[in-house]
Amino acid sequence: MAARRVSSLLSRSFSASSPFLSRSQGRNLNNGSRIVRRFGTSSAAEEVISPSVQVSYTKLLIDGNFVDAASGKTFPTLDPRTGEVIAHVAEGDAEDINRAVKAARKAFDEGPWPKMTAYERSRVMLRFADLVEKHSEELAALESWDNGKTYEQALTAEIPMVARLFRYYAGWADKIHGLTVPADGNYHVQTLHEPIGVAGQIIPWNFPLLMFAWKVGPALACGNTIVLKTAEQTPLTAFYVGKLFLEAGLPPGVLNIVSGFGATAGASLASHMDVDKLAFTGSTDTGKVILGLAANSNLKPVTLELGGKSPFIVFEDADIDKAVELAHFALFFNQGQCCCAGSRTYVHEKVYDEFVEKAKARALKRVVGDPFKKGIEQGPQVDSKQFEKVMKYIRSGVESNATLECGGGQVGDRGYFIQPTVFSNVKDDMLIAQDEIFGPVQSILKFSDVDEVIKRANDTRYGLAAGVFTKSLDTANRVSRALKAGTVWVNCFDVFDAAIPFGGYKMSGNGREKGIYSLNNYLQVKAVVTPLNNPAWI
Amino acid sequence: MASRRVSSLLSRSLMSSSSPFSLRGKDPLMNRGARRYSNLAASLEDTITPPVKVEQTQLLINGKFVDSASGKTFPTLDPRTGEVIAQVAEGDVEDVNRAVVAARKAFDEGPWPRMTAYVNQKKSFLYVFKDLTLTHVWIRFLQERSKILFRFADLIEKHNDEIAALETWDNGKPYEQSAKIEVPMLARVFRYYAGWADKIHGMTVPGDGSHHVQTLHEPIGVAGQIIPWNFPLLMLSWKLGPALACGNTVVLKTAEQTPLSALLVGRLLHEAGLPEGVVNIVSGFGPTAGAAIASHMDIDKVAFTGSTDVGKIILELASKSNLKAVTLELGGKSPFIVCEDADVDQAVEMAHFALFFNQGQCCCAGSRTFVHERVYDEFVEKAKARAINRAVGDPFKSGIEQGPQVDSEQFEKILKYIRHGVDSGATLQAGGDRHGSKGYYIQPTVFSDVKDDMLIAKDEIFGPVQTILKFKNLDEVIARANNSRYGLAAGVFTQNLDTANRLMRALRVGSVWINCFDVFDATIPFGGYKMSGIGREKGIYSLNNYLQVKAVVTSIKNPAWL
C-alpha cells in the first residue's frame, strides 16, 4: 500500500493533467525551499533535524519481557543521515535464539496461542492495528531515523499499511478452512489446515515494519508462534511494535524478537532443530545459505523473497509522460532500495530519445535531503556498505561505456546520500544491467520489438516483478503471460495491496507473501480418513 | 487406492465374518505355491518365468529411446534370485543435460504448455485479419493435454498384465498386488489429473483502490522428478500426473533398482500422443544422474521421493544451484495407536497390513504399533499368529502375500535391524531371519516389549519387522507418538469419537487414518510434517507444486465497482 498510495497520488496528478513533478516542485517551493536541495547543489549539509521520538526499547523481546543478550553484548544502530549512533541495541546470538525458540515452543506446544479461538486471535491482531495507528507518528519517526526513508513516506504510506495488513490478516484468522474430500470408496475424508508450529522469520532493513507485517501477520493468523530476527541496520521499530503487541494482549512467547546479525543469530535460527518453518527476505546469496542450513538441519520448509532485476517495459504506444514518471518512481522509490525496483527500463526505439530526455529531467528534479524535512523525495542510503556498493556500480556503469545522463556522485559530504543517477545506452551484458544495485541508479535500454524485449526481459536469474506500459490490450495480455515474474504491473507499478500475492519466479525466491496464498506458508495439511458404515452418499 | 482397495477388501472380510484376512481361502493355488515362513527347511521351488518380455532398456529422451552418452549400462536384478533381468542404459550428467535440453525446448517452444487443456474437435478455427479482410484459418490442435492423459490411462488398462508383470519382476512385489491394485490405480491417478488439466483457475483479487487485479497460475517450466523403487509406477503417476496436467515438461529419473516399468509406460505415453520432449526418462544412479537433476541450472522444480538423508542432499543441491522449488516425500516412523476400546481383531489385521504391506517397504508403514496396556497381551498374541500365517514366496504365485525385499542392500539392512532388536532386549515373537536360501526373502518378524529408545523404534527399517510398544494413557501416547523426527502418517484405532477427534489434531503427521490405514485415493493429499518432507502430493494440493503464481495488476479508469 505504501507504494500503492504513492502511485495513486501519481495517477491522480496525471488524470488532473498536471505532471507530478511540477506539482511536487511547486509544493517544495512553498514550504521546502529553505532546506531542500536538488542533488546537483553542492552546498554544505545543513543542520540535522532531531527526530521527535525517544528510543525506548533496545533489548530483545523474549517470552514477553525485554531482556539483555545472554552475552551482554550490544551493537550500535546508526543514523544514515550522519553515520552517528542512534542507540546501542542488544546483540542476539545463538544462545538468545535458543531462549526465544524455547519460549515460542512453549507458547505453541502448551498454549495458549494455537488453543485460543480464531476469533480471540483476530481480536488481538485488530487491537494491535489500532495501537499502530495510535502511535503512527512515533513509529514513522523511528522508522525514518533508523532507515533513512522519508518521514512522509513512513507516516502517510507505510505505517497505515502496517495497520491495514494486520486487519487483513486478523480477518483471515477465522477463515482458515480445510476441505472435505471425495473418496473412491466408503471413507469419510477431511483435511485439517493446521499451524506449522514455531516460525523463524528474518526480515530486511528496507521496509522494516512492512516486512514485519508480511511475515508476522499470516503466521499469527494461522496460529503459529514466532521468533523474528530484525536486520542489524534497523532494529528499533520492531521492538516498539513488539511492545504494542503485548499491550494488545498477545500472550508471552508468541512473538519473540531478536536483534542481531545474520551470520550468528540468523544462521542459528535457520539451522535450529526446533524451528518448524523459516521465512526470509533478503539477498539471493543469503537465501541460498538459508535454504542450505534448512536442508542440513531439520528440513524446515522455507519461504524466500529475494533479489530482483525487474524489467520496466515502455512500448511505443505508451503514455510517455506517465511512463517516465512511473519508471522514475519504480526505480527511485525508497532510495532505490526495493527488491522489486524497476531496474531495467526497456524503452521502444521510437520513443527512446524522448523518454531518456524526460527521465533525465525528472531525475534532476528529484528532491534529495534530510528525510525529516517536508517535501523531500529521497533520503540517504541505509549504511556505508550499501553506499559504497552503489557507488561501485555507478563507476562500473561509466567504465562499461553506458551514457551517464545525470547524477553519479554523492550528495553533500556527510551521511549516505547519493545523487539520482540515470544511465542510457545500457547494454544487457553490462554489470549495471545484470546485478541488483539496490540504489538510485536507473538503467535505460533500447528495444525494437516485442519478441526481442520478452526474451531480454526474461534473460536473468531473477523473476520478481515487471512493469508493462502500453495501450494495446493484445500487447498487455501477451507480455503478461510471457514474462517470468511473480508480479506484472500493467500501466502502474508497486501496487502493494494486502490481497495481492508477491513473490518470485526463478532465483527471486520460493513461495508467495500477502493474499490468500501467504497462508500456505504457515499451514500444514493433514488428511484425516475414517471408514463409513452405511453412508447415505459418497 | 492401491492400499485402499486392499483395505476395503480387508474391511469387507472383517465385516462379513470374524475370519482374519487371508488370501488362502480364495485361492486353491496357494497351497501348492506359497509357504509359511516357518516352513524354513523347504527348499525354494522353481522360479516362475514372468509372462513379459523386457523391450525398453534405453533412456527416453526427446521422444526416442537412446543409449546413454557414455554407452554404459547397469544390470537390474530379479529380487527373487539376485539374477540379472536386463542391462539398462546408465544415464549420467550428460544424459540429464540432453534430457533437459529436450524438456526445455518442449516447454519454451513446444506445443505442450501452449496446447489447450481440452478441446472437443481435432480441428478448430480462428478468425484472423489477413490482407485487411477477416478470414478464418483452420488450426489443428495437436492433441490436447487432458485427452492425451485420458488416452494414456486407457493404454495402461490395455497393457495392465504386461505392466504388472514387469513391476513385480523388477521389484519383487506380489503380482496380484501389481495387477489388481497398483496398475489400475495408475490409470485412476492419470484420469484424476487429466480432469484437473482444464480446471486450473487463477483468481481475480479485490484491490484497495482503482486497480484490476488477477492471478495467473502458470506452469513452472521443466520439472525434475526423482522416484523411488518401492512403488515405481505409482510414484511415477503421483509425479507426472500433476506436472503434465499443469503444463510442465519433465525429466524423470527412476530408481536404479526398478528402471523397467517406467520405460514401458513412457512408450505408452507417446503412443497416446504426448509430444516429444515433454517427458524424458533417465535411468541411473542418485549421485550421478540424480545429483545432476537436483543441481541443474535449467530445471525449474525438483520433486523427490526417498530417504530423509537423500532429501537433505537434494534440497542442499537446489539451494546451491538455482533455488529451484523442491517437493520432498521422505521417510517415516508412523505410529499405529490401538486404544483400549478398539476392535482388537480389526486392529490386529490392520496393524499387520500397515506394516507388512509391500514387504514393509512403505514410507508410511505403521512401524510403531502402540497398544494400550489393557489389550496389549491379547494384541501381541494375535499379531504374532497373524504374522506366522503370512504367505511368503515367489510373488508370481497366486495367493502370495509377501515377496522378496528389493535388493541385497535392503535385505542386509533389515537383518541388521532385527539383530539390533534382539540385542537391545526386545522380545522376538516371530520371524527374525531370512526366508529360504535364495533371493532376498525375510520372515515376517514381530517384536514386542519394544521401548522408545531402541533403534528399531526410532529408525525407518523399511522391511517386514513389526515393533509393538505398550502405553497407558492418551497424553503419554501422544507425546511418544510425536517424539520422532518424522511426521508422515498415523493410524488410530478407537470407537470413541472424543479420542478420535483429539488424536487427529494432536498427532503431528500429514495423514491420520482412523480405524483404517493406507487409504490412498487420488484426491487425498499425502506428505509429511517435520523431517518427513515438504509439500503435498495427490489431491488439489499437489497442483501447487507445479504452478507459479503471477499477480497481474492494471490500473482501471472509471470502475463500475471496486
Side-chain angles (χ1 to χ4, degrees):
Chain A
M1 180 145 179
R4 205 196 61 69
R5 288 185 52 159
V6 173
S7 66
S8 64
L9 276 176
L10 285 173
S11 332
R12 251 179 278 139
S13 76
F14 274 108
S15 53
S17 87
S18 72
F20 176 76
L21 53 101
S22 61
R23 196 174 71 111
S24 81
Q25 194 183 9
R27 190 179 59 198
N28 295 332
L29 284 174
N30 292 337
N31 52 29
S33 59
R34 277 186 297 114
I35 47 177
V36 167
R37 272 157 294 106
R38 300 291 172 279
F39 78 80
T41 316
S42 62
S43 69
E46 292 158 39
E47 253 186 77
V48 177
I49 295 174
S50 290
S52 53
V53 63
Q54 299 267 330
V55 177
S56 307
Y57 308 102
T58 57
K59 296 185 187 181
L60 314 178
L61 176 56
I62 296 179
D63 208 13
N65 299 306
F66 285 98
V67 297
D68 288 321
S71 66
K73 283 206 285 189
T74 63
F75 66 97
T77 184
L78 308 179
D79 183 339
R81 299 174 300 169
T82 59
E84 285 163 13
V85 176
I86 301 173
H88 288 274
V89 176
E91 184 181 333
D93 202 337
E95 201 177 328
D96 304 292
I97 293 290
N98 287 342
R99 287 194 294 166
V101 171
K102 213 172 154 193
R105 193 80 259 166
K106 185 156 175 275
F108 186 81
D109 292 342
E110 297 167 27
W113 192 244
K115 297 184 203 307
M116 281 162 68
T117 64
Y119 180 57
E120 289 173 302
R121 286 202 302 272
S122 80
R123 292 287 301 275
V124 172
M125 296 172 74
L126 291 171
R127 278 197 297 270
F128 172 71
D130 293 344
L131 288 171
V132 167
E133 280 182 350
K134 187 175 154 197
H135 295 272
S136 63
E137 288 179 9
E138 295 108 292
L139 284 170
L142 212 49
E143 192 82 325
S144 198
W145 198 3
D146 218 8
N147 170 281
K149 63 178 64 206
T150 65
Y151 176 71
E152 283 181 341
Q153 177 185 322
L155 181 70
T156 62
E158 297 189 19
I159 306 301
M161 184 61 174
V162 172
R164 194 270 176 273
L165 281 162
F166 276 99
R167 293 204 178 98
Y168 175 77
Y169 282 112
W172 268 121
D174 55 6
K175 294 165 199 76
I176 312 281
H177 293 78
L179 299 166
T180 54
V181 179
D184 286 345
N186 285 356
Y187 288 96
H188 173 65
V189 184
Q190 58 191 307
T191 56
L192 305 181
H193 293 184
E194 301 194 328
I196 288 189
V198 175
Q201 306 186 317
I202 302 174
I203 59 173
W205 49 260
N206 57 342
F207 295 96
L209 281 179
L210 281 177
M211 294 300 101
F212 174 96
W214 288 22
K215 298 266 184 295
V216 171
L220 291 184
C222 295
N224 300 273
T225 62
I226 296 173
V227 177
L228 177 125
K229 188 197 94 66
T230 48
E232 66 269 22
Q233 295 86 348
T234 54
L236 297 177
T237 47
F239 288 141
Y240 195 110
V241 296
K243 174 74 171 119
L244 296 183
F245 248 128
L246 297 176
E247 261 183 69
L250 193 76
V254 176
L255 172 62
N256 304 277
I257 302 174
V258 177
S259 44
F261 294 83
T264 52
S268 58
L269 195 55
S271 53
H272 205 290
M273 294 299 286
D274 264 344
V275 170
D276 302 307
K277 159 79 196 175
L278 200 99
F280 168 78
T281 297
S283 75
T284 293
D285 288 346
T286 305
K288 294 174 80 165
V289 174
I290 297 278
L291 190 59
L293 292 173
N296 280 319
S297 56
N298 65 346
L299 284 171
K300 55 181 78 64
V302 177
T303 311
L304 298 173
E305 299 281 2
L306 308 175
K309 193 74 187 179
S310 297
F312 185 106
I313 305 173
V314 182
F315 287 95
E316 56 176 308
D317 64 346
D319 176 334
I320 296 297
D321 286 336
K322 185 175 165 190
V324 166
E325 186 56 42
L326 278 179
H328 177 84
F329 168 67
L331 188 282
F332 290 99
F333 178 61
N334 205 46
Q335 292 69 249
Q337 300 166 150
C338 300
C339 48
C340 58
S343 52
R344 290 182 293 152
T345 310
Y346 286 100
V347 182
H348 191 274
E349 56 185 3
K350 290 208 184 128
V351 292
Y352 180 83
D353 292 340
E354 179 190 356
F355 185 97
V356 169
E357 207 46 53
K358 288 181 170 172
K360 171 184 175 179
R362 178 63 185 91
L364 281 168
K365 294 204 163 112
R366 187 165 185 82
V367 189
V368 183
D370 188 323
F372 281 99
K373 283 179 191 154
K374 218 167 171 197
I376 287 291
E377 296 178 278
Q378 181 177 318
Q381 309 308 118
V382 75
D383 67 7
S384 63
K385 190 174 149 200
Q386 289 296 319
F387 175 85
E388 296 300 343
K389 187 182 120 186
V390 175
M391 297 305 289
K392 189 193 78 187
Y393 276 112
I394 292 175
R395 285 192 297 276
S396 159
V398 171
E399 283 158 16
S400 58
N401 287 325
T403 307
L404 180 66
E405 296 283 349
C406 66
Q410 183 175 6
V411 176
D413 52 11
R414 187 168 61 172
Y416 312 124
F417 297 88
I418 293 180
Q419 295 172 348
T421 298
V422 177
F423 282 107
S424 63
N425 297 316
V426 177
K427 305 292 174 215
D428 291 0
D429 60 355
M430 294 178 184
L431 262 193
I432 57 167
Q434 293 185 332
D435 290 4
E436 187 175 40
I437 300 175
F438 230 63
V441 182
Q442 184 174 32
S443 303
I444 307 180
L445 307 94
K446 191 190 285 188
F447 74 92
S448 310
D449 66 67
V450 185
D451 285 335
E452 172 210 334
V453 80
I454 288 172
K455 193 154 182 280
R456 290 170 65 193
N458 282 336
D459 187 19
T460 167
R461 66 173 184 160
Y462 295 115
L464 198 53
V468 175
F469 277 70
T470 177
K471 288 178 175 155
S472 155
L473 184 60
D474 283 341
T475 305
N477 280 341
R478 178 173 174 206
V479 176
S480 294
R481 287 198 178 226
L483 292 173
K484 298 194 169 177
T487 303
V488 178
W489 287 296
V490 181
N491 296 333
C492 58
F493 206 87
D494 276 354
V495 180
F496 271 113
D497 299 356
I500 306 178
F502 183 82
Y505 281 47
K506 299 193 275 186
M507 293 178 75
S508 287
N510 287 317
R512 292 294 178 272
E513 294 189 301
K514 296 196 290 116
I516 187 171
Y517 303 91
S518 63
L519 305 175
N520 294 341
N521 302 328
Y522 296 98
L523 292 169
Q524 278 281 19
V525 176
K526 179 189 281 180
V528 181
V529 186
T530 54
L532 286 171
N533 290 322
N534 225 345
W537 56 270
I538 293 182
Chain B
M1 179 146 179
S3 317
R4 205 197 61 69
R5 287 183 53 160
V6 172
S7 64
S8 63
L9 277 175
L10 283 174
S11 326
R12 252 178 278 138
S13 75
L14 285 174
M15 277 187 291
S16 57
S17 71
S18 56
S19 70
F21 173 72
S22 159
L23 293 168
R24 272 177 299 162
K26 292 181 194 159
D27 183 12
L29 292 176
M30 223 255 351
N31 290 331
R32 278 189 289 116
R35 264 157 292 104
R36 300 290 166 277
Y37 79 81
S38 49
N39 192 5
L40 288 178
S43 66
L44 280 167
E45 293 161 36
D46 274 342
T47 308
I48 295 174
T49 305
V52 64
K53 277 198 145 61
V54 177
E55 287 175 357
Q56 276 77 39
T57 57
Q58 292 168 295
L59 314 178
L60 176 56
I61 295 179
N62 207 27
K64 296 184 180 63
F65 284 98
V66 296
D67 288 325
S68 63
S70 66
K72 282 207 287 189
T73 63
F74 66 98
T76 185
L77 308 179
D78 184 339
R80 301 174 300 167
T81 58
E83 286 163 12
V84 175
I85 301 173
Q87 295 286 337
V88 176
E90 183 180 335
D92 202 336
V93 180
E94 202 176 327
D95 304 292
V96 167
N97 287 342
R98 286 195 293 166
V100 172
V101 167
R104 194 79 257 167
K105 185 156 178 276
F107 186 80
D108 292 342
E109 300 163 30
W112 191 246
R114 288 167 192 80
M115 268 183 199
T116 59
Y118 186 89
V119 286
N120 252 331
Q121 65 268 64
K122 278 264 161 78
K123 282 171 85 181
S124 187
F125 58 82
L126 280 179
Y127 285 107
V128 294
F129 279 102
K130 197 175 176 187
D131 301 329
L132 297 176
T133 10
L134 190 65
T135 178
H136 66 263
V137 287
W138 287 94
I139 298 194
R140 184 166 177 273
F141 286 94
L142 290 169
Q143 275 157 343
E144 52 294 349
R145 288 203 298 275
S146 178
K147 284 192 142 181
I148 289 170
L149 296 178
F150 280 127
R151 272 200 295 273
F152 174 55
D154 293 343
L155 287 173
I156 289 167
E157 283 184 346
K158 187 175 153 197
H159 294 271
N160 184 83
D161 294 354
E162 187 186 346
I163 298 170
L166 209 50
E167 192 81 327
T168 286
W169 197 3
D170 219 8
N171 170 282
K173 63 178 66 205
Y175 175 73
E176 287 177 343
Q177 178 185 323
S178 300
K180 292 181 185 166
I181 298 166
E182 296 189 17
V183 180
M185 183 62 175
L186 183 66
R188 196 268 175 271
V189 170
F190 275 102
R191 290 203 180 99
Y192 174 76
Y193 283 111
W196 268 121
D198 54 7
K199 295 168 199 75
I200 311 284
H201 293 78
M203 306 178 105
T204 55
V205 179
D208 285 344
S210 290
H211 290 101
H212 172 67
V213 185
Q214 58 191 305
T215 56
L216 306 180
H217 293 185
E218 301 193 329
I220 289 189
V222 175
Q225 306 186 318
I226 302 174
I227 59 172
W229 48 261
N230 57 342
F231 295 96
L233 284 177
L234 282 180
M235 293 302 100
L236 172 140
S237 71
W238 289 19
K239 297 267 185 294
L240 281 188
L244 295 180
C246 294
N248 299 274
T249 62
V250 176
V251 175
L252 179 127
K253 188 196 97 62
T254 49
E256 65 270 23
Q257 294 87 348
T258 53
L260 297 178
S261 56
L263 296 172
L264 171 54
V265 300
R267 191 194 81 206
L268 298 182
L269 261 173
H270 287 84
E271 277 181 39
L274 191 81
E276 62 187 22
V278 175
V279 171
N280 304 276
I281 301 175
V282 177
S283 33
F285 293 82
T288 51
I293 287 174
S295 54
H296 205 289
M297 294 300 286
D298 264 344
I299 289 181
D300 303 305
K301 158 83 196 175
V302 67
F304 168 78
T305 297
S307 74
T308 293
D309 288 346
V310 176
K312 294 173 80 164
I313 295 170
I314 298 280
L315 188 60
E316 193 177 9
L317 292 174
S319 78
K320 287 187 167 153
S321 54
N322 65 345
L323 285 170
K324 56 180 75 64
V326 178
T327 311
L328 299 174
E329 300 279 2
L330 308 175
K333 192 73 184 178
S334 297
F336 186 105
I337 301 172
V338 182
C339 300
E340 58 180 312
D341 63 344
D343 176 331
V344 173
D345 286 335
Q346 191 195 7
V348 165
E349 186 58 42
M350 281 287 180
H352 176 84
F353 168 67
L355 187 282
F356 291 99
F357 179 62
N358 206 46
Q359 294 71 248
Q361 300 165 152
C362 300
C363 48
C364 58
S367 52
R368 289 184 292 155
T369 312
F370 287 101
V371 182
H372 191 274
E373 56 182 2
R374 292 224 184 114
V375 291
Y376 179 83
D377 291 340
E378 179 192 354
F379 186 98
V380 169
E381 207 47 52
K382 288 181 170 170
K384 170 185 177 177
R386 179 63 186 89
I388 287 173
N389 276 326
R390 188 167 183 81
V392 182
D394 188 323
F396 280 102
K397 284 180 191 153
S398 195
I400 284 294
E401 294 176 279
Q402 182 177 318
Q405 308 308 119
V406 74
D407 66 8
S408 63
E409 192 189 328
Q410 291 294 320
F411 175 81
E412 296 298 344
K413 185 183 118 185
I414 294 160
L415 290 175
K416 190 193 77 188
Y417 275 112
I418 292 175
R419 285 193 296 275
H420 261 299
V422 172
D423 293 347
S424 59
T427 306
L428 181 67
Q429 294 284 354
D433 207 345
R434 74 181 300 169
H435 172 92
S437 55
K438 188 166 70 170
Y440 312 124
Y441 296 89
I442 292 182
Q443 297 170 355
T445 296
V446 177
F447 281 107
S448 65
D449 301 318
V450 177
K451 305 294 174 213
D452 291 0
D453 60 355
M454 294 178 183
L455 263 193
I456 57 168
K458 296 206 287 200
D459 289 5
E460 186 175 42
I461 300 176
F462 229 64
V465 182
Q466 185 175 32
T467 58
I468 308 180
L469 306 93
K470 193 190 284 187
F471 77 92
K472 287 190 166 73
N473 64 52
L474 280 188
D475 285 338
E476 172 210 336
V477 80
I478 288 170
R480 292 169 64 193
N482 283 337
N483 186 24
S484 164
R485 68 172 183 161
Y486 295 116
L488 198 54
V492 171
F493 277 71
T494 178
Q495 312 274 19
N496 181 306
L497 184 60
D498 285 340
T499 305
N501 279 343
R502 179 164 178 217
L503 284 174
M504 78 163 80
R505 286 191 183 233
L507 293 171
R508 312 204 65 213
V509 300
S511 297
V512 179
W513 288 296
I514 300 177
N515 296 333
C516 58
F517 205 88
D518 276 354
V519 181
F520 271 113
D521 297 358
T523 53
I524 305 178
F526 183 82
Y529 282 45
K530 299 193 274 185
M531 293 176 76
S532 287
I534 298 174
R536 293 294 178 273
E537 295 190 301
K538 296 197 290 122
I540 187 171
Y541 303 92
S542 62
L543 304 175
N544 295 341
N545 301 327
Y546 296 98
L547 293 170
Q548 279 280 18
V549 175
K550 178 188 279 180
V552 181
V553 185
T554 54
S555 50
I556 30 176
K557 288 177 180 161
N558 234 339
W561 55 270
L562 282 176

